[in-house]
């Protein structure tokens, strides 16, 4: 995994206010970024070439491109928007963070041009888009490893099985599994303190489906937040604490948190870039997306921004996520050029390579 010390991008600050990762602010309808909680660090993002390259010639493009949705994806979109603005100063690209679910509500109502998403669009959301005449182009932009973290003083939970994670997070565990020694007898009699994403987060949806086998099914006696920094702060401050969020947030806070290896049935696997990209880090590897309105994509400034997005994907590594496999890129770019609408990933089986899914879809 790469060190953030080598990155020169300015820190991306975005905090909403419901649950986990700014992403969940959709409940309140707010998409205004705020400063991160003291003691936690958000994924980083500034041009690593700005000091070397001459200033690009300004284009004649103008207009506003509105983006909202997942706080997990927001650092990538913000970094791309920052670089895009250098050669396109007439185009404004504000990036909101109302959560994957909140972003889709706005997008399918026709209020935004692009929706950041840390999970595929759901059937009900796609139906809302159709009802409102919003056709969309579904574009993977990176791969994330949803990371389970514990306090730095936790020396016992170095690896947990999916079954043990289910024991901790299942609705059946509410009020019953309250100490670590109830998870595994040789663990200490240390109280559990749980922090995680809120119900409008794509991270919440993915974690509950992967661990509890059903989206949005989870014990209620944990502290949810739309702000990943609150989860980070909570885990940092309590010896028996556990939380979960995207790998980029762990990368930024690796000195004060421990990542738990996950045993999905084939042994303990750490959330490294290699393991996430290969799918070995199962079942918590997931693709990240942007959804682009077909109507908006017909505007020259939006098309230029989306094209630039795929030219500037070095920021994926800078922010801390895993780049898409090279064999997937031609198929994704074909989606952009043909403005192919619809969803390939809505009901896709976890672990199927992105390139394989796209190849079938583009035949």
């Amino acid at each position: 995994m790469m060190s953030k010390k080598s990155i020169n991008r300015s820190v991306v600050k975005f905090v909403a206010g419901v649950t986990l990762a700014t992403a969940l602010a959709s409940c309140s309808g707010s998409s205004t970024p705020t400063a991160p909680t003291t003691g936690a660090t958000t994924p980083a993002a500034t041009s690593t070439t700005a000091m070397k390259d001459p200033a690009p010639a300004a284009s004649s493009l103008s207009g506003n491109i509105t983006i909202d949705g997942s706080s997990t994806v927001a650092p990538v979109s913000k970094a791309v928007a920052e670089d895009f603005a250098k050669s396109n100063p007439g185009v404004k690209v504000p990036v909101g963070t109302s959560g994957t679910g909140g972003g889709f509500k706005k997008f399918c109502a026709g209020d935004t041009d692009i929706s950041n998403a840390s999970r595929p669009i759901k059937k009900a959301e796609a139906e809302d888009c159709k009802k409102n005449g919003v056709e969309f182009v579904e574009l993977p932009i990176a791969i994330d490893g949803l990371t389970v973290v514990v306090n730095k003083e936790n020396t016992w939970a170095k690896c947990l099985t999916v079954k043990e994670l289910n024991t901790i997070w299942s609705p059946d565990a509410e009020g019953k599994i309250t100490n670590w020694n109830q998870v595994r007898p040789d663990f200490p009699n240390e109280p559990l303190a749980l922090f995680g994403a809120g119900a409008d987060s794509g991270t919440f949806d993915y974690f509950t489906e992967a661990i509890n086998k059903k989206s949005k099914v989870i014990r209620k006696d944990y502290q949810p937040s739309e702000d990943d920094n609150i989860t980070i702060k909570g885990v940092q401050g309590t010896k028996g604490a556990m939380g979960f969020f995207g790998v980029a947030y762990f990368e930024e806070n690796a000195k004060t948190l421990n990542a738990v290896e996950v045993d999905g049935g084939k042994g303990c696997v750490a959330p490294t870039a290699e393991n996430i990209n290969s799918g070995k880090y199962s079942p918590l590897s997931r693709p990240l997306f942007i959804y682009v309105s077909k109507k908006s994509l017909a505007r020259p400034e939006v098309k230029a921004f989306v094209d630039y997005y795929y030219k500037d994907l070095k920021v994926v590594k800078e922010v801390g996520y895993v780049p898409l496999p090279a064999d997937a890129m031609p198929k994704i770019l074909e989606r952009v050029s043909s403005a192919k609408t619809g969803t390939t990933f809505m009901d896709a089986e976890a672990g199927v390579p992105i390139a394989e899914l796209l190849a079938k879809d583009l035949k």
Side-chain angles (χ1 to χ4, degrees):
M1 305 295 276
M2 67 177 293
S3 170
K4 296 301 176 299
K5 288 184 178 179
S6 63
I7 298 171
N8 296 324
R9 285 194 173 272
S10 45
V11 174
V12 175
K13 300 177 181 178
F14 54 95
V15 174
V18 181
T19 358
L20 204 186
T22 307
L24 287 7
S26 71
C27 294
S28 63
S30 170
S31 61
T32 303
T34 61
T37 307
T38 303
T41 311
T42 56
T46 45
S47 176
T48 57
T49 59
M51 298 301 293
K52 300 177 183 178
D53 298 339
S59 78
S60 60
L61 291 173
S62 63
N64 292 316
I65 303 172
T66 53
I67 305 178
D68 208 322
S70 168
S71 66
T72 302
V73 180
V76 182
S77 289
K78 287 185 179 219
V80 174
E82 178 186 315
D83 284 356
F84 181 75
K86 293 172 184 175
S87 56
N88 299 275
V91 182
K92 306 302 178 185
V93 191
V95 179
T97 51
S98 62
T100 296
F104 276 133
K105 287 176 185 176
K106 296 178 181 181
F107 180 75
C108 291
D111 296 335
T112 57
D113 300 306
I114 297 174
S115 200
N116 292 329
S118 60
R119 59 158 171 80
I121 194 168
K122 294 182 177 181
K123 183 178 180 180
E125 293 164 339
E127 289 174 350
D128 283 343
C129 279
K130 184 177 181 179
K131 180 176 64 178
N132 294 319
V134 177
E135 295 183 279
F136 57 82
V137 181
E138 180 183 63
L139 299 172
I141 55 97
I143 304 174
D144 180 25
L146 208 161
T147 306
V148 178
V149 298
V150 293
N151 185 273
K152 203 68 178 176
E153 293 184 50
N154 184 329
T155 58
W156 59 90
K158 296 181 179 179
C159 176
L160 293 171
T161 66
V162 170
K163 184 177 180 180
E164 287 170 333
L165 288 170
N166 173 262
T167 295
I168 293 170
W169 291 97
S170 166
D172 295 335
E174 187 172 334
K176 299 175 184 176
I177 306 300
T178 57
N179 282 60
W180 277 98
N181 61 0
Q182 294 172 292
V183 179
R184 197 184 294 178
D186 60 347
F187 284 168
N189 184 24
E190 183 73 33
L192 270 168
L194 301 175
F195 301 82
D200 204 31
S201 164
T203 298
F204 174 86
D205 290 339
Y206 194 91
F207 183 83
T208 52
E209 186 167 343
I211 300 303
N212 294 335
K213 308 307 178 187
K214 189 173 181 181
S215 179
K216 297 189 181 297
V217 171
I218 197 169
R219 64 190 295 171
K220 293 183 174 63
D221 56 342
Y222 80 104
Q223 183 172 326
S225 176
E226 310 308 329
D227 177 10
D228 287 334
N229 294 289
I230 292 176
T231 297
I232 292 166
K233 184 70 172 178
V235 177
Q236 287 172 339
T238 308
K239 184 177 180 180
M242 172 185 283
F244 61 89
F245 39 70
V247 69
Y249 280 89
F250 170 70
E251 286 289 310
E252 279 293 324
N253 295 277
K255 290 184 178 180
T256 58
L257 297 170
N258 289 333
V260 177
E261 295 185 2
V262 175
D263 183 352
K266 297 182 179 180
C268 300
V269 181
T272 64
E274 181 180 356
N275 291 338
I276 292 168
N277 196 0
S278 68
K280 187 178 178 182
Y281 183 66
S282 177
L284 295 178
S285 293
R286 59 175 180 170
L288 303 176
F289 304 89
I290 58 172
Y291 285 75
V292 185
S293 163
K294 183 178 180 180
K295 180 179 178 181
S296 299
L297 192 59
R299 293 174 10 221
E301 73 274 18
V302 177
K303 177 63 164 57
F305 177 77
V306 174
D307 287 343
Y308 190 85
Y309 210 111
Y310 284 95
K311 292 178 183 176
D312 199 37
L313 277 179
K314 65 180 183 293
V315 303
V316 167
K317 294 181 72 173
E318 292 177 357
V319 169
Y321 297 122
V322 178
L324 295 167
D327 56 354
M329 291 306 297
K331 300 174 180 67
I332 295 170
L333 295 176
E334 184 179 343
R335 277 194 169 204
V336 176
S337 63
S338 65
K340 179 175 176 57
T341 59
T343 174
T344 299
F345 291 84
M346 181 189 291
D347 298 315
E349 181 183 350
V352 177
I354 288 176
E356 183 179 325
L357 287 168
L358 292 172
K360 291 178 180 179
D361 190 53
L362 288 168
K363 283 182 179 179

